[in-house]
């Protein structure tokens, strides 16, 4: 858990038709640490994560991993990256087994090794009973597990997870929380975004909060707590980011029903 | 407030309509309206091809109208059967939408919508979809066919209305039957069993529909339908019932039509009744069960297929990337409803075309039997290969679940060339190899060994060429690249491709047939094909290995969108910006982009030209000259004589007909005297002559030919229709040589003034177009099937085919085109005067059927008096009215023979009485 900045963003900006979805974002996520990336919907979280994974190109700025810009060696970077996207998009007509087998093949593993890994992961995620059924019948949580397995298959050094807890039931969420801790303990860089602030509080060491495309907080949780004199992450979040008066909004909604 | 049920109906109707079309269910990534457009375009293209193949038979048939209409029954049955089959197949694809799905229960149940409204909307939506497809399928045939098959005394509007009405009813019958079947199954079987069995029921129905469609024997004629051995067919095959309905609504009098029409009405009633009764019950039951058991697990994919796919993948592909891409492609194709649908359509059209070619066997007009190498089957296998390869390649460009392609982007750790190679091998494994294997087995089973192997090798090389051409420029993993709807314009290309593929495969199969005969030719053909394959492969490899090539996941939008920075949000993979730079296509000026089109057009024209030349070569071999050629003024004219005795009967054929068309009548006459038929300049086996070629030139040519060939005088001249003018002019020039005359429903100079004057202005244009189409092989392509032999004509199948082939010759078309205007011949004939004492018989057609010009029918009585007047030009002339139409040599040849016998006898008696015969 050293000071080596494993994943670093420097001045990353992304403009869409002149409007900045991500505005001059800079932070670092260190190896062996869990970094949480928070912000309301539409703040640019997913965009930033897509830039980190290379799915989008930043208009300005750069992303570095282990001190080298990712553009310089895309292939090498992708071999060390594990990504779990928002909304667990999978091919619904494939079965879980076929999907993981395909991912293994795409990554170049030999067939027996793929088979072993796939079977093990499916068993550990309790999906082996449904592994030969098309994923269209899977619940959101089951799909999430499949995508997670696909991200872990190749033992990546960097794990980027975009809202991995949404749709998981309590026991799966607990498993995932422990998994994240375990990955960090193994020396990997773990970056994830979530809305479940109580989980974030428990598992992450560093928090980056995004609001309207800009970073409004980038610190360890304890330091944030003392800085703002607020005991919980939820209140910190509320203070920094939430703009509406939630109570009056609720009252107006109820009034709208009578229109 | 209560909702308006009408408004609800409209809203639900729209929702269900789009769901019915989007057969793979609610997938937000698919563009439903463009899929609808594509399906319609494919159907319309198919309709166009059908029209193109069927129509020429009706436009230029020598058959009389009533006989033509009976012959049309076969084609009408084919159209009805096709509409029913397509309706059935589409209903099957909407199978899952007919009964409620989970969305219906979760979304619609809580809303205040009556069940009745939902059912109405569903039925109407699916019905509309089928109606749209039915219209698309019948688009071209429906606006041309009814007008060409109007019965005598009928109105075109009625035929048109009957056509569309019967098609609609036939489609409705099939749809109601399927809905009824599904509803009854849902009611009788327990819910889980029904879910599992649904797929098997679908497969069974597809098999039945296709089986009935392809295996229906061609008995749709009056004789066929009334034959007792076909009765069991009539009981089971619905297309015959609706054929009967079609005929009886059009006013046909045959009793079999009414029987069949009755059956059609009853079956329609029964199907509709069962559907209307069972559907609401089934709907309610399924809806209830769906709510009670929302998580019925779908059936596990059968173990066998899993194992088989793995087996193939592991044996054929050594690299894991290729295995992964192959399995992904195979599974996606097999499981996506949308892609299955389009693939079924391509394959279905390929099959239909193949069967259409093969059907010519059943009519007995094919050149070679099915157990020997023959062009239709060669053609059919090539069409199958071409259409499926191109179809699946087109499908590769249609995305499946586009947002899920992130997995490919994130794992793109190999060189782009590796992905391209994996795509290429997948295309081979999914399409080409199965077709090669099945074709090999099929041909080995029916043909001798060597030609089968040769054909397989040709197919293999062709497949490689096609795949390399098709994959050039394809930079994605199948189904993972987005699709720019406006850019590809598949719909327009499709029509051109269909026509192009059919033309090219016709030509190629002709060439292959020619090449199979001798090893040297086959080697030459193989050399050409293999070098083409190598060229295509090297071009594709150069593309794949090019340094700046990248794997593509977004279709690059046109440069204007780039410049204005209006790119869509989930924009480009950084490297993909390079794709624009190397994709010169986008920045080329328009005329340069036109070059491939021009090149393609150039290829087509050259191919057409080669096809025509090839066809002429084949015809020369197949139909060797009958008769002898004599040199007249530096050109050759052909004449064929046989028989012994005098006078010599000379047969002058009608406008547009070669001398050989007299073959049966000639044989009969040759039994009792010497008889000759000949080809006018440009016709049959005679060389083209100078123009103008009116009756005077023709008569003089004939005279020189008879002298050169040493044909003994005197002559009895026989002229049919316009040939009568030439005969009269001959008589006018050389009266001493003509001893008798027979006119077979002759043209009259007082009538010709009414004919064709109004289209005289267009004749040069029509002639030019005819020559152009003929020279490019289009007429040959269109008249591949010369239609059934007129039964009374006495001609064998081969003789009929000979006549048809001779008419097709370009020189024949030109000569025919230049003989009019008819009135010139008429005036020349009028000027040639009377016939003196010579025996003359004028055969008049008693049946009004001259389809050449409707005005002639009105002048029928006038024509009779004119014929009587013609007979009166001789002191020994007489008119005989024959119970036949205008084409007497086909429909009443024996009447012609008896007239000739009579005249010849009179000439002989007259000669005996006079005591001297003129000799040359």
């Amino acid at each position: 858990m050293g000071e080596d900045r494993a994943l670093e963003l420097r001045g990353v900006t992304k403009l869409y038709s002149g409007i900045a979805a991500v505005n001059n974002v800079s932070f670092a996520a260190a190896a062996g640490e869990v970094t949480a990336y928070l912000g309301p919907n539409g703040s640019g979280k997913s965009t930033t994560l897509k830039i980190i994974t290379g799915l989008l190109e930043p208009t300005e700025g750069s992303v570095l991993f282990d001190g080298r810009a990712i553009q310089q060696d895309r292939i090498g970077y992708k071999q060390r990256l594990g990504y779990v996207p928002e909304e667990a998009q999978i091919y619904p007509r494939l079965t879980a087994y076929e999907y993981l087998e395909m991912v293994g093949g795409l990554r170049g593993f030999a067939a027996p090794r793929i088979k072993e890994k796939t079977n093990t992961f499916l068993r550990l995620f309790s999906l082996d009973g449904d592994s030969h059924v098309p994923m269209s019948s899977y619940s959101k949580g089951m799909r999430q597990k499949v995508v997670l397995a696909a991200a872990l298959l190749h033992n990546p050094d960097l794990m980027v997870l975009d809202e991995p807890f949404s749709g998981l039931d309590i026991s799966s969420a607990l498993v995932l929380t422990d998994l994240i801790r375990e990955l960090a303990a193994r020396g990997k860089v773990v970056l994830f975004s979530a809305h479940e602030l109580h989980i974030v509080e428990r598992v992450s060491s560093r928090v980056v909060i995004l609001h309207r495309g800009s970073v409004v907080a980038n610190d360890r949780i304890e330091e944030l707590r003392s800085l703002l004199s607020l005991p919980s992450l939820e209140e910190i979040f509320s203070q920094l980011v939430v703009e509406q008066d939630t109570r009056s909004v609720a009252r107006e909604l109820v009034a709208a029903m009578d229109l | 407030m209560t909702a308006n049920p009408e408004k609800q109906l409209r809203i639900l109707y729209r929702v269900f309509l789009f769901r019915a079309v989007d057969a793979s269910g609610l997938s937000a990534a698919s563009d439903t309206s463009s899929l609808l457009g594509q399906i319609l375009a494919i159907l319309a293209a198919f309709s166009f091809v059908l029209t193109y193949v069927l129509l020429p038979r009706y436009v230029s048939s020598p058959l009389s109208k009533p006989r033509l209409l009976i012959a049309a029954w076969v084609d009408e049955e084919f159209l009805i059967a096709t509409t029913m089959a397509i309706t059935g197949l589409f209903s099957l694809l909407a199978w899952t939408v007919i009964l409620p799905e989970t969305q219906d229960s979760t979304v619609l149940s809580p809303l205040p919508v009556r069940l009745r409204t939902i059912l109405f909307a569903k039925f109407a939506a699916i019905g509309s979809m089928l109606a749209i497809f039915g219209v698309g399928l019948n688009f071209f045939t429906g606006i041309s066919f009814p007008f060409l098959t109007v019965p005598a005394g009928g109105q075109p509007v009625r035929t048109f209305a009957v056509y569309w009405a019967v098609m609609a009813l036939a489609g409705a019958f099939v749809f109601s039957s399927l809905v009824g079947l599904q509803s009854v199954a849902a009611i009788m079987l327990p819910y889980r069993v029904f879910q599992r069995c649904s797929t098997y029921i679908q497969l069974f129905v597809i098999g039945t529909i296709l089986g009935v469609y392809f295996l229906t024997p061609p008995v749709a004629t009056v004789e066929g339908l009334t034959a007792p051995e076909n009765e069991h067919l009539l009981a089971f095959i619905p297309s015959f019932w609706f054929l009967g309905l079609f005929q009886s609504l059009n006013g046909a009098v045959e009793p079999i039509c009414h029987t069949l029409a009755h059956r059609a009405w009853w079956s329609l009633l029964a199907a509709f009744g069962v559907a209307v009764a069972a559907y609401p019950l089934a709907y309610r039951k399924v809806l209830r069960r769906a709510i009670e058991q929302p998580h019925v697990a779908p059936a596990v994919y059968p173990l066998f297929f899993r194992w088989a796919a793995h087996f193939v993948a592991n044996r054929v592909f050594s690299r894991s990337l290729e295995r992964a891409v192959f399995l992904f492609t195979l599974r996606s194709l097999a499981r996506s409803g949308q892609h299955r649908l389009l693939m079924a359509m391509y394959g279905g059209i390929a099959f239909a075309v193949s069967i259409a070619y093969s059907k010519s066997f059943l009519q007995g007009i094919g050149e070679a039997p099915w157990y020997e190498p023959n062009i239709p089957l060669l053609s059919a296998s090539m069409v199958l290969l071409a259409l499926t390869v191109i179809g699946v390649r087109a499908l590769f460009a249609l995305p499946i679940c586009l947002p899920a392609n992130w997995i490919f982007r994130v794992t793109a750790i190999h060189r782009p060339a590796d992905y391209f190679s994996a795509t290429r091998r997948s295309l081979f494994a999914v399409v080409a190899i199965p077709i090669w294997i099945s074709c090999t087995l099929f041909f080995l089973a029916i043909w001798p060994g060597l030609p089968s192997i040769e054909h397989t090798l040709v197919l293999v090389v062709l497949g490689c060429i096609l795949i390399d051409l098709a994959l050039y420029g394809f930079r994605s993993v199948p189904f993972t690249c987005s699709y720019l709807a406006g850019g590809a314009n598949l719909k327009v290309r499709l029509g051109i491709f269909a026509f192009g593929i059919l033309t090219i495969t016709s030509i190629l199969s002709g060439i292959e047939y020619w090449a199979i005969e001798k090893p040297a030719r086959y080697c030459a053909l193989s050399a050409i094909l293999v070098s083409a394959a190598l060229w295509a492969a090297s071009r594709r490899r150069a593309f794949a290995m090019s340094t700046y090539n990248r794997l593509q996941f977004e279709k690059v939008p046109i440069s204007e969108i780039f410049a204005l920075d209006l790119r869509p949000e989930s924009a480009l993979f950084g490297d993909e910006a390079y794709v624009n730079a190397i994709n010169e296509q986008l920045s080329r000026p328009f005329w340069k982009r036109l070059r491939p089109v021009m090149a393609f057009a150039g290829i087509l024209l050259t191919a057409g030209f080669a096809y025509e030349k090839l066809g002429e070569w084949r015809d020369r071999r197949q139909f060797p000259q009958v008769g002898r050629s004599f040199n007249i003024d530096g050109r050759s004219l052909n004449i064929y004589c046989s028989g012994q005795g005098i006078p010599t009967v000379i047969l002058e054929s009608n406008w547009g007909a070669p001398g050989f068309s007299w073959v049966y009548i000639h044989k009969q006459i040759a039994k009792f005297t010497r008889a000759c038929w000949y080809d006018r300049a440009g016709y049959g086996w005679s060389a083209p002559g100078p123009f103008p070629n009116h009756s005077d030139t023709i008569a003089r040519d004939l005279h020189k030919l008879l002298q050169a060939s040493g044909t003994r005088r005197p002559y009895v001249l026989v002229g049919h229709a316009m040939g009568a003018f030439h005969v009269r002019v001959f008589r006018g020039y050389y009266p001493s040589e003509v001893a008798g005359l027979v006119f077979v429903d002759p043209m009259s100079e007082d009538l010709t003034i009414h004919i064709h004057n109004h289209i005289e202005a267009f004749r040069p244009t029509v002639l030019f177009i005819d020559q152009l189409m003929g020279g490019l092989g289009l007429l040959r392509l269109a008249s591949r099937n010369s239609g059934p032999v007129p039964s009374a004509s006495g001609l064998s199948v081969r003789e009929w085919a000979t006549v048809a082939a001779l008419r097709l010759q370009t020189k024949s078309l030109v000569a025919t085109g230049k003989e009019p205007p008819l009135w010139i011949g008429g005036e020349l004939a009028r000027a040639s005067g009377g016939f003196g004492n010579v025996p003359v018989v004028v055969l008049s057609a008693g049946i009004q059927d001259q389809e050449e010009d409707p005005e002639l029918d009105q002048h029928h009585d006038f024509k009779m008096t004119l014929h009587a007047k013609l007979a009166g030009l001789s002191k020994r002339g007489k008119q005989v009215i024959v119970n036949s139409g205008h084409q007497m040599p086909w429909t009443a040849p024996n009447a012609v023979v008896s007239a000739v016998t009579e005249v010849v006898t009179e000439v002989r008696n007259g000669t005996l009485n006079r005591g001297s015969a003129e000799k040359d």
Side-chain angles (χ1 to χ4, degrees):
Chain A
M1 273 185 229
E3 289 288 322
D4 44 312
R5 301 173 174 260
L7 176 72
E8 190 181 341
L9 271 73
R10 288 191 192 157
V12 169
T13 307
K14 177 72 178 168
L15 296 174
Y16 286 117
S17 314
I19 302 178
V22 176
N23 196 359
N24 198 17
V25 165
S26 303
F27 67 90
E33 271 192 356
V34 178
T35 310
Y37 194 50
L38 309 177
N41 286 335
S43 55
K45 283 194 334 285
S46 287
T47 312
T48 321
L49 292 180
K50 283 186 186 156
I51 293 176
I52 292 174
T53 53
L55 289 179
L56 287 179
E57 281 286 292
T59 319
E60 281 169 28
S62 57
V63 178
L64 296 95
F65 185 62
D66 263 357
R68 281 220 318 275
I70 58 179
Q71 283 99 324
Q72 283 177 354
D73 181 17
R74 277 201 186 279
I75 290 189
Y77 178 62
K78 283 188 217 178
Q79 279 170 327
R80 299 167 69 188
L81 166 71
Y83 174 53
V84 175
E86 195 179 7
E87 286 194 32
Q89 301 272 12
I90 38 89
Y91 289 103
R93 309 237 168 205
L94 296 181
T95 67
Y97 186 86
E98 289 166 354
Y99 188 76
L100 291 178
E101 185 190 44
M102 178 180 83
V103 174
L106 289 174
R107 289 202 175 268
F109 292 130
R113 208 169 152 209
I114 295 177
K115 195 165 164 192
E116 201 191 322
K117 278 186 189 263
T118 307
N119 282 327
T120 314
F121 274 109
L122 287 174
R123 186 173 44 87
L124 291 171
F125 276 119
S126 318
L127 290 175
D128 48 344
D130 301 305
S131 58
H132 294 296
V133 167
M135 289 195 282
S136 50
S137 62
Y138 276 16
S139 65
K140 171 103 198 280
M142 291 162 86
R143 293 184 200 193
Q144 196 83 308
K145 290 184 193 175
V146 173
V147 172
L148 192 52
L152 294 172
L153 216 53
H154 57 295
N155 194 10
D157 291 328
L158 167 64
M159 278 294 287
V160 176
L161 306 104
D162 197 345
E163 298 191 26
F165 292 97
S166 74
L168 291 188
D169 62 7
I170 302 206
S171 51
S172 312
L174 289 173
V175 170
L176 183 57
T177 315
D178 287 331
L179 176 63
I180 289 179
R181 254 194 228 116
E182 198 51 49
L183 287 171
R186 284 281 188 113
K188 303 192 189 297
V189 181
V190 182
L191 175 67
F192 77 101
S193 77
H195 293 298
E196 296 76 5
L197 294 181
H198 54 287
I199 299 184
V200 171
E201 232 169 343
R202 266 191 291 134
V203 79
S204 36
S205 19
R206 173 173 281 274
V207 159
V208 179
I209 304 185
L210 202 64
H211 181 47
R212 297 224 182 138
S214 305
V215 173
V216 297
N218 176 5
D219 240 323
R220 311 188 74 79
I221 293 194
E222 306 79 43
E223 283 164 35
L224 269 182
R225 278 199 194 111
S226 60
L227 208 65
L228 294 174
S229 319
L230 291 168
S232 78
L233 192 52
E234 190 176 306
E235 286 169 309
I236 296 177
F237 200 83
S238 231
Q239 173 87 302
L240 291 175
V241 161
V242 174
E243 294 176 344
Q244 307 162 313
D245 175 1
T246 48
R247 286 227 183 82
S248 63
V249 170
R251 258 182 265 127
E252 285 177 38
L253 278 171
V254 174
M257 288 199 302
D258 293 324
L259 283 174
Chain B
M1 63 203 86
T2 46
N4 180 359
E6 241 180 58
K7 203 162 172 199
Q8 287 177 336
L9 183 65
R10 264 205 301 267
I11 296 172
L12 282 177
Y13 170 77
R14 278 198 76 223
V15 169
F16 289 143
L17 182 62
F18 281 116
R19 258 216 272 154
V21 174
D22 184 17
S24 70
L26 274 180
S27 60
S30 64
D31 183 359
T32 324
S33 46
S34 86
L35 179 65
L36 183 58
Q38 281 171 23
I39 296 175
L40 276 178
I42 294 178
L43 286 175
F46 182 58
S47 178
F48 180 74
V49 170
L50 270 181
T51 315
Y52 183 71
V53 168
L54 289 179
L55 237 47
R57 259 186 257 168
Y58 294 92
V59 172
S60 60
S61 169
L63 287 179
S64 66
K65 201 40 159 331
R67 294 230 39 109
L68 189 67
L69 288 179
I70 301 270
W73 284 23
V74 182
D75 289 329
E76 282 156 5
E77 191 262 332
F78 175 68
L79 289 172
I80 293 177
T82 308
T83 305
M84 291 175 82
I86 298 272
T87 309
L89 289 175
F90 278 117
S91 306
L92 274 178
L93 289 162
W95 188 266
T96 48
V97 179
I98 295 179
L99 287 179
E101 305 171 282
T102 345
Q103 291 115 343
D104 293 332
S105 64
T106 48
V107 173
L108 291 180
S109 307
L111 294 174
V113 184
R114 301 186 72 163
L115 182 65
R116 208 167 36 206
T117 319
I118 300 179
L119 294 187
F120 246 146
K122 260 210 194 219
F123 229 118
I126 301 178
S128 310
M129 174 188 88
L130 294 175
I132 294 175
F133 291 151
V135 168
L137 179 67
N138 283 302
F139 190 68
F140 288 103
T141 43
I143 58 176
S144 50
F145 198 79
F147 297 114
L148 291 172
T149 52
V150 180
Q155 295 125 340
V157 179
R158 178 178 174 189
T159 332
F160 183 78
V162 167
Y163 180 94
W164 285 100
V166 171
M167 291 302 173
L169 288 174
F173 167 72
V174 174
F175 175 52
S176 315
S177 313
L178 285 178
V179 169
L181 174 68
Q182 195 185 16
S183 307
V184 167
I187 295 175
M188 312 274 282
L189 298 171
Y191 183 62
R192 286 208 159 191
V193 177
F194 173 67
Q195 292 279 74
R196 295 277 150 88
C197 287
S198 222
T199 331
Y200 296 114
I201 299 179
Q202 267 183 291
L203 281 175
F204 169 72
V205 173
I206 292 182
T208 314
I209 290 179
L210 288 177
V212 168
Y213 180 65
F214 287 123
L215 298 177
T216 306
V219 295
T221 55
V222 185
E223 300 84 36
L225 290 174
T226 47
E229 61 263 19
N230 288 331
E231 251 193 70
H232 64 284
L233 285 175
L234 294 185
F236 288 117
I237 303 184
S239 51
F240 291 133
W241 308 339
F242 287 92
L243 175 68
L245 182 64
F246 182 81
Q247 301 303 343
S248 79
L249 284 178
N250 255 332
V253 296
E254 291 83 354
I256 187 74
C257 296
H258 297 295
T259 322
L260 291 175
H262 265 130
R263 248 178 245 183
W265 286 121
W266 277 114
S267 63
L268 198 53
L269 210 58
F272 208 64
V274 169
V276 166
Y279 183 62
L281 296 172
Y283 190 96
R284 266 209 206 87
K285 174 179 173 188
V286 172
L287 191 64
R288 205 173 49 233
R289 293 274 186 268
I291 296 175
E292 287 167 8
Q293 306 164 11
H295 290 303
V296 172
V300 174
Y301 289 130
L303 183 61
F304 173 71
F305 292 124
R306 272 190 272 150
W307 175 85
H310 271 125
F311 181 77
V312 171
N314 290 335
R315 292 287 165 278
V316 174
F317 298 94
S318 50
R319 309 178 56 187
S320 40
L321 172 67
E322 291 176 357
R323 257 203 302 273
V325 170
F326 164 67
L327 286 173
F328 173 68
T329 310
L330 184 66
R331 286 165 180 155
S332 302
L333 266 181
R335 297 174 192 175
S336 157
Q338 215 179 61
H339 290 65
R340 246 196 328 240
L341 162 64
L342 287 172
M343 202 161 63
M345 256 190 305
Y346 276 108
I349 292 177
F351 254 124
V353 169
S354 320
I355 298 294
Y357 277 146
S358 321
K359 267 194 174 193
S360 64
F361 287 130
L362 304 168
Q363 294 190 9
I365 302 200
E367 295 149 5
W370 59 265
Y371 49 85
E372 275 171 28
N374 55 73
I375 294 191
L377 284 180
L378 289 175
S379 226
S381 56
M382 282 190 204
V383 167
L384 185 63
L385 179 67
L387 281 183
T388 36
V389 165
I390 293 178
V392 173
R393 156 63 183 90
L395 287 180
F396 277 5
L398 279 186
I400 291 181
C401 220
L402 200 57
N405 73 357
W406 64 268
I407 188 69
F408 288 98
R409 294 182 170 190
V410 159
T411 56
I413 57 175
H414 307 274
R415 297 175 309 163
D418 295 333
Y419 291 95
F420 302 155
S421 157
T423 306
R424 180 166 173 270
R425 292 192 183 195
S426 302
L427 187 54
F428 270 111
V430 168
V431 181
I433 294 181
I435 291 189
W436 288 337
I437 295 180
S438 359
C439 283
T440 314
L441 294 174
F442 178 70
F443 286 117
L444 276 177
I446 63 170
W447 287 354
L450 186 59
S452 315
I453 304 287
E454 290 180 331
H455 181 54
T456 305
L457 290 176
V458 167
L459 278 184
V460 166
V461 177
L462 275 181
C464 294
I465 296 178
L466 277 171
I467 289 184
D468 279 330
L469 285 178
L471 285 179
Y472 181 79
F474 188 69
R475 291 189 184 87
S476 336
V477 176
F479 318 122
T480 60
C481 185
S482 64
Y483 183 66
L484 260 191
N489 218 349
L490 202 65
K491 302 149 203 174
V492 172
R493 284 196 197 170
L494 223 48
I496 305 177
F497 270 139
F499 182 71
I501 288 175
L502 287 179
T503 316
I504 293 182
T505 46
S506 292
I507 298 169
L508 262 180
S509 52
I511 297 178
E512 193 190 346
Y513 180 68
W514 167 86
I516 283 185
E517 290 175 355
K518 294 219 176 94
R521 292 185 196 160
Y522 184 74
C523 290
L525 179 65
S526 318
I528 296 178
L529 286 179
V530 168
S531 35
L534 289 174
W535 166 80
S538 71
R539 181 168 165 259
R540 189 205 44 84
R541 209 174 300 126
F543 154 77
M545 300 290 192
S546 120
T547 356
Y548 298 108
N549 227 343
R550 294 287 182 271
L551 194 55
Q552 193 176 15
F553 294 99
E554 301 272 350
K555 249 319 189 252
V556 179
I558 51 183
S559 32
E560 287 76 24
I561 295 187
F562 244 108
L564 295 173
D565 198 19
L566 293 174
R567 278 166 286 171
E569 301 245 323
S570 61
L572 297 175
F573 207 151
D575 308 349
E576 286 162 6
Y578 285 126
V579 176
N580 191 24
I582 60 178
N583 219 350
E584 328 94 72
Q585 288 282 357
L586 293 171
S587 47
R588 268 194 197 160
F590 180 66
W591 65 269
K592 270 201 185 163
R593 275 198 264 166
L594 213 49
R595 275 206 299 224
V597 178
M598 312 263 282
F600 185 62
I603 291 178
L604 270 187
L605 290 175
T606 319
F609 182 70
Y611 175 64
E612 174 60 24
K613 287 285 166 263
L614 186 69
E616 283 173 18
W617 173 84
R618 273 183 46 224
D619 281 347
R620 272 199 299 276
R621 278 190 20 150
Q622 272 219 310
F623 307 118
Q625 177 178 0
V626 177
R628 287 175 59 197
S629 294
F630 292 92
N631 191 316
I632 311 292
D633 297 339
R635 52 192 165 83
S636 72
L637 288 180
N638 179 47
I639 184 169
Y640 176 66
C641 299
S642 70
Q644 303 292 340
I646 49 163
T648 318
V649 174
I650 311 291
L651 301 159
E652 178 75 62
S653 47
N654 189 7
W655 178 45
F660 189 77
S661 45
W662 289 108
V663 62
Y664 172 74
I665 293 178
H666 174 265
K667 245 187 296 206
Q668 307 308 315
I669 299 177
K671 288 180 186 163
F672 58 88
T673 190
R674 193 155 174 79
C676 302
W677 56 256
Y678 84 105
D679 289 319
R680 293 187 289 270
Y683 286 85
W685 290 287
S686 291
F691 300 109
N693 54 337
H694 298 308
S695 302
D696 49 353
T697 328
I698 290 172
R700 274 193 258 272
D701 267 0
L702 177 58
H703 186 246
K704 288 185 203 149
L705 177 62
L706 290 172
Q707 283 197 310
S709 59
T711 312
R712 291 185 69 187
R713 302 190 216 129
Y715 309 126
V716 168
L717 298 176
V718 181
H720 175 215
M722 195 167 156
F725 287 156
H726 311 324
V727 160
R728 288 168 64 184
V729 171
F730 185 96
R731 167 73 221 340
Y733 287 159
Y734 314 104
S736 56
E737 301 182 10
V738 178
L741 295 163
V742 176
F743 297 113
V744 183
D745 205 37
M747 211 50 94
S748 167
E749 59 272 29
D750 292 320
L751 272 183
T752 51
I753 211 74
H754 297 286
I755 301 175
H756 296 304
N757 275 342
H758 52 290
I759 63 167
E760 256 313 296
F762 297 109
R763 206 159 49 82
T765 318
V766 173
L767 189 59
F768 175 72
I769 292 178
D770 259 348
Q771 271 181 277
L772 193 65
M773 297 220 318
L776 292 176
L778 288 170
L779 288 180
R780 181 175 298 274
L781 194 65
S783 44
R784 287 177 82 73
N785 196 340
S786 39
V789 183
S791 43
S793 63
L795 263 62
S796 73
V797 167
R798 195 172 162 70
E799 286 162 347
W800 181 249
T802 311
V803 172
L806 289 175
R807 291 180 98 132
L808 258 189
Q809 302 174 96
T810 316
K811 63 179 180 182
S812 180
L813 294 170
V814 174
T816 312
K818 294 212 169 195
E819 255 172 46
L822 298 183
W823 62 267
I824 293 185
E827 293 315 304
L828 286 168
R830 193 199 303 272
S832 65
F835 306 135
N837 234 350
V838 163
V840 169
V841 173
V842 177
L843 297 172
S844 299
I847 299 180
Q848 246 176 283
D849 71 345
Q850 274 200 275
E851 64 275 15
E852 287 147 29
D853 199 303
E855 289 180 13
L856 272 182
D857 280 349
Q858 292 166 14
H859 293 282
H860 183 76
D861 296 324
F862 185 41
K863 185 175 91 166
M864 290 291 153
T865 46
L866 288 175
H867 283 179
K869 206 173 101 182
L870 181 66
L873 285 180
S874 156
K875 298 211 186 76
R876 289 154 73 191
K878 72 181 215 191
Q879 178 189 22
V880 176
I881 301 186
V882 178
N883 184 22
S884 150
H886 179 62
Q887 298 290 349
M888 227 181 279
W890 301 139
T891 49
N894 294 317
V896 178
V897 174
S898 354
V900 173
T901 317
E902 202 181 314
V903 169
V904 166
T905 316
E906 271 200 59
V907 169
R908 282 180 178 164
N909 288 345
T911 316
L912 282 171
N913 287 344
R914 290 226 193 89
S916 68
E918 297 198 28
K919 298 198 175 92
D920 56 311

